[in-house]
Amino acid sequence: VAVGYPSNFDSGSVMKQVLGWIGESSHEPGTMAMNENPMRSGNSGGAWFAYKSGDAVGLNSYSKRGDSRTMYS
């Protein structure tokens, strides 16, 4: 689960959450990728939480141009 105030939802005025799935980025070793996370600018620093335990496991850091469904940590 990712949370944040992304500008592409309600102009960043409301906290949103999305349920994506996390895996290691094949393009950048040591970097995590959350697929099915459409959040974009304005939500950097928002936490990623493990669905079952609630533990923080990453954060919204950056996305790549042309990929509207993946966020990286």
Side-chain angles (χ1 to χ4, degrees):
V1 177
V3 297
Y5 292 88
S7 63
N8 59 326
F9 291 94
D10 297 318
S11 299
S13 62
V14 177
M15 181 181 278
K16 296 292 183 178
Q17 71 176 24
V18 296
L19 180 58
W21 51 277
I22 298 173
E24 187 172 350
S25 171
S26 61
H27 302 294
E28 299 174 48
T31 300
M32 300 294 287
M34 180 181 283
N35 297 297
E36 300 306 319
N37 180 348
M39 293 184 177
R40 290 297 171 261
S41 68
N43 72 321
S44 294
W48 293 0
F49 296 102
Y51 184 72
K52 290 185 179 182
S53 69
D55 294 338
V57 294
L59 56 89
N60 294 305
S61 184
Y62 66 97
S63 60
K64 292 184 179 180
R65 188 175 308 234
D67 183 356
S68 64
R69 304 297 298 177
T70 306
M71 181 64 71
Y72 295 87
S73 176

